[in-house]
Amino acid sequence: MSDEVDGRPVPEQYEHLLEELNLDDHLTREVYAYFGLAAYLASVIEHGLVNIIVLSRVAEARAGKTPITSDPWESSFKKTFGQLVHRFTKLSGDEERKLQEDLARCLTQRNFLIHGYWRERAETVMSQNGKLMMLEELSEMHQDIRQLNEEVDRVTFDIGESLGVSREAAEAEYQRMLGSVAE
């Protein structure tokens, strides 16, 4: 371990990451990074839908409509992204029509990313121009999914506030969790 990053030694198996990259290698890493960001944020939205569904079940139980007889987190995390979008659509009705449409589009993008992206782009990724096109495509997907995540957060916070959990309390808990992870 000869190199350091921020005062910490870099393990030997990662020293190659400190080497200068040629343009093609740099573009390849960027394509994989943007793919990972888009796929990750789609997963965040999936988790956000679980949060909405569970919080909605809690609200129904509090209102005396439907008792909770099993762990709503466990059953919700067993559902596919498509099943979660369908459940959200039923829960939200006409009030969230645009969000429902955006979620359906996100589901299509996510399924393409996870199940077909690399197969469809196998030849494209072989050239620098192809990688640049992929970066533009993946960057747009990432931006779309990031904006959609903000809308999912809005709905989650609205339901949370109706249950007595303020945005400030949720943010404070998030910061506490970040602090414990950083230690």
Side-chain angles (χ1 to χ4, degrees), residues 45 49 81-82 84-86 88-89 96-112 148 152:
I45 288 174
L49 288 174
F81 195 159
L84 294 170
V85 169
H86 180 74
F88 173 80
T89 299
E96 296 288 350
R97 182 65 56 202
K98 181 176 180 333
L99 181 54
Q100 294 166 11
E101 292 167 1
D102 291 345
L103 284 167
R105 189 178 73 250
C106 179
L107 173 62
T108 300
Q109 284 180 326
R110 179 257 181 216
N111 286 345
F112 173 60
L148 178 57
V152 169

Side-chain angles (χ1 to χ4, degrees), residues 35-53:
F35 172 85
L37 282 171
Y40 166 75
L41 277 177
S43 181
V44 169
I45 288 174
E46 188 173 5
H47 192 129
L49 288 174
V50 168
N51 292 341
I52 289 169
I53 290 164

Side-chain angles (χ1 to χ4, degrees), residues 5-30:
V5 173
D6 292 334
R8 292 182 154 161
V10 176
E12 276 184 45
Q13 68 265 31
Y14 300 118
E15 284 182 352
H16 69 281
L17 297 176
L18 301 175
E19 298 171 8
E20 286 294 318
L21 298 177
N22 65 41
L23 178 60
D24 195 56
D25 288 343
H26 181 72
L27 289 172
T28 299
R29 286 188 184 183
E30 289 296 304

Side-chain angles (χ1 to χ4, degrees), residues 3 5-6 18 26 32-33 36 46 48 54 76 89 103 107 110 113 127 130 133-134 142 147 150 162 171 174 177 179:
D3 291 308
V5 173
D6 292 334
L18 301 175
H26 181 72
Y32 282 105
E46 188 173 5
V54 170
S76 293
T89 299
L103 284 167
L107 173 62
R110 179 257 181 216
L113 280 170
S127 72
M133 289 178 357
M134 291 170 73
H142 171 256
Q147 288 173 349
E150 291 172 10
S162 75
E171 179 62 29
Y174 176 70
M177 290 168 53

